[in-house]
């Protein structure tokens, strides 16, 4: 008896979730399909019912961040755009988010992998950049340089987290993120 479409959707979500967590922790090259499927509680045989290959799964894992972000429930989309942008900057650069490796945003967790991963992951990554930029763009209203400032805020937030993840100096990790936060908020007009 064939599985229901709901079962197939849930199974695919389990695979994508396992892949996202493992890719964040270990990187694309270090994670095998077998490991992803085992983490999802499945066998390798079912993988190809959902994906044509690891790169397609990688793209799905990158794209999934918008809907699976564990901090998403703290962000009320009906919040006024400027307040939402401030809140997102503070959350994005927080100690809590830095410490939760398996939930890291692909923008700072996976840039090197995505750059080498092919067109599908790069498109998913580009969509994340555009979506985050749009949040800051809305907060800046009709400012003539709003797009440039929004992109700079994204670069500051992502760059601050990339650098913070790569140093073994706790004080520098904090200082980098605090500096990025201060400059990002200044670009919002704070």
């Amino acid at each position: 008896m064939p599985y229901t479409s709901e079962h197939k959707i849930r199974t695919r979500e389990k695979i994508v979730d396992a892949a996202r967590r493992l890719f964040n922790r270990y990187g694309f090259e270090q994670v095998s399909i077998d490991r992803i499927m085992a983490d999802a509680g499945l066998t390798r045989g079912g993988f190809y019912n959902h994906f044509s290959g690891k790169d397609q799964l990688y793209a799905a894992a990158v794209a999934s961040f918008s809907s699976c972000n564990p901090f998403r429930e703290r962000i009320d989309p009906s919040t006024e755009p400027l307040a939402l942008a401030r809140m997102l900057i503070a959350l994005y650069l927080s100690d809590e988010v830095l410490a939760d490796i398996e939930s890291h945003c692909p923008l700072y967790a996976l840039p090197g992998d995505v750059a080498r991963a092919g067109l599908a992951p790069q498109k998913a990554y580009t969509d994340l950049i555009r979506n985050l930029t749009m949040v800051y763009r809305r907060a800046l209203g009709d400012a003539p340089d709003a797009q440039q400032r929004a992109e700079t805020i994204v670069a500051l937030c992502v760059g601050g987290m990339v650098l913070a993840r790569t140093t073994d100096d706790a004080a520098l990790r904090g200082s980098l993120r605090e500096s990025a936060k201060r400059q990002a908020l200044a670009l919002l007009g704070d």
Side-chain angles (χ1 to χ4, degrees), residues 43-161:
T43 61
R44 181 185 178 99
F47 177 82
Y48 293 100
N49 292 327
H50 301 277
F51 302 97
S52 62
K54 188 175 166 187
D55 60 332
Q56 186 186 35
L57 172 59
Y58 194 53
V62 170
S64 76
F65 184 75
S66 294
S67 60
C68 72
N69 179 347
F71 305 102
R72 188 178 186 92
E73 67 271 0
R74 295 189 199 172
I75 300 170
D76 179 0
S78 67
T79 304
E80 184 270 325
L82 186 56
L84 179 63
R86 288 179 183 133
M87 181 176 39
L88 187 57
I89 289 168
L91 181 61
Y92 200 91
L93 293 163
S94 70
D95 292 336
E96 181 183 6
V97 168
L98 182 65
D100 190 356
I101 294 168
E102 291 181 353
S103 299
H104 280 177
C105 173
L107 295 180
Y108 61 83
L110 306 171
D113 283 351
V114 170
R116 295 183 295 273
L119 294 178
Q122 289 174 358
K123 181 186 179 329
Y125 195 84
T126 299
D127 289 344
L128 285 177
I129 294 169
R130 287 185 175 133
N131 291 340
L132 188 55
T133 301
M134 189 175 10
V135 171
Y136 301 124
R137 176 67 187 84
R138 282 187 196 125
L140 292 164
D142 294 333
D145 61 346
Q147 184 66 25
Q148 180 183 13
R149 286 170 45 192
E151 290 171 359
T152 304
I153 292 169
V154 171
L156 283 164
C157 290
V158 172
M161 289 299 274

